[in-house]
Amino acid sequence: MKKIAVIILFIFSVGCKKERVERPDHLIDKSDMVNIMYDLALLNVIKYQYPVQVEDYEKNDLAYVYKKYKIDSAQFVQSNRYYAADYKGYKKMYDEIALKVEDNKILFDSLTKLDEKKLLKKKKSIVKKDSLSKEKRLQQRLEKGAKEETQGVLD
């Protein structure tokens, strides 16, 4: 009975061994990795929100990110695997990305509101100019018509 308990304990200890991915030689810095994953997330959103405009660039989106951060695909995959091995740390990285998205969403929304206000002011000024000119033209027509009609009668 003691032998079976020792064997089971050994199996559990070997089975619960925490295997760690080896650190790659050219590991991407954690902050750069967060920025890369953020850029990739944005590219995916753009790709699915505006598929017609992005058709030509669809094949080059990863190449753009690799060129921007001066990395290659193997370096990205190895670094991603290394960081993903620590799921708590990886979750923190995704939380940082979510914060960046939320911050930029607020910024984007405020810029959009400013643009909408500018367009609304521009439309109002155009409408006011048009309405005034229409009123003036109508007044001129009425005055001209009244003069023509009364011209023969008053003479």
Side-chain angles (χ1 to χ4, degrees):
M1 186 71 163
K2 288 183 180 180
K3 289 182 180 181
I4 294 174
V6 170
I7 291 172
I8 292 174
L9 184 63
F10 177 73
I11 290 173
F12 279 120
S13 66
V14 171
C16 294
K17 180 182 173 189
K18 187 176 182 180
E19 291 191 30
R20 185 92 172 147
V21 176
E22 289 185 32
R23 182 183 172 100
D25 293 335
H26 302 289
L27 181 68
I28 299 170
D29 187 46
K30 197 174 231 178
S31 62
D32 287 339
M33 193 68 179
V34 168
N35 290 333
I36 291 168
M37 293 188 323
Y38 173 76
D39 287 349
L40 291 174
L42 284 181
L43 285 171
N44 280 331
V45 168
I46 292 169
K47 188 186 306 183
Y48 291 107
Q49 289 290 330
Y50 307 102
V52 176
Q53 288 90 346
V54 186
E55 280 179 357
D56 299 335
Y57 305 104
E58 197 169 305
K59 297 172 187 170
N60 298 328
D61 57 353
L62 287 175
Y64 167 75
V65 172
Y66 296 152
K67 186 176 179 180
K68 179 179 177 182
Y69 292 98
K70 298 175 184 155
I71 60 170
D72 60 7
S73 60
Q75 186 180 6
F76 173 72
V77 169
Q78 290 172 351
S79 297
N80 193 38
R81 186 178 339 130
Y82 176 77
Y83 288 122
D86 177 22
Y87 68 91
K88 289 180 183 177
Y90 206 59
K91 184 183 179 322
K92 287 180 184 177
M93 290 171 69
Y94 269 97
D95 290 342
E96 286 181 48
I97 294 168
L99 285 173
K100 282 181 90 168
V101 168
E102 191 62 33
D103 289 345
N104 287 335
K105 181 181 181 270
I106 292 168
L107 176 66
F108 177 75
D109 288 344
S110 63
L111 289 174
T112 303
K113 286 179 184 177
L114 283 174
D115 285 344
E116 288 174 356
K117 285 180 182 178
K118 286 179 183 177
L119 285 174
L120 189 60
K121 285 181 182 178
K122 189 174 182 179
K123 285 182 181 179
K124 283 183 179 179
S125 67
I126 291 171
V127 169
K128 286 180 181 176
K129 288 178 184 176
D130 287 342
S131 63
L132 289 176
S133 62
K134 286 180 183 177
E135 288 177 13
K136 286 180 181 178
R137 284 185 288 193
L138 181 61
Q139 183 71 24
Q140 288 172 353
R141 285 183 191 166
L142 290 173
E143 288 174 1
K144 184 178 179 183
K147 284 181 184 176
E148 289 176 0
E149 289 178 11
T150 58
Q151 196 171 25
V153 175
L154 295 175
D155 290 337

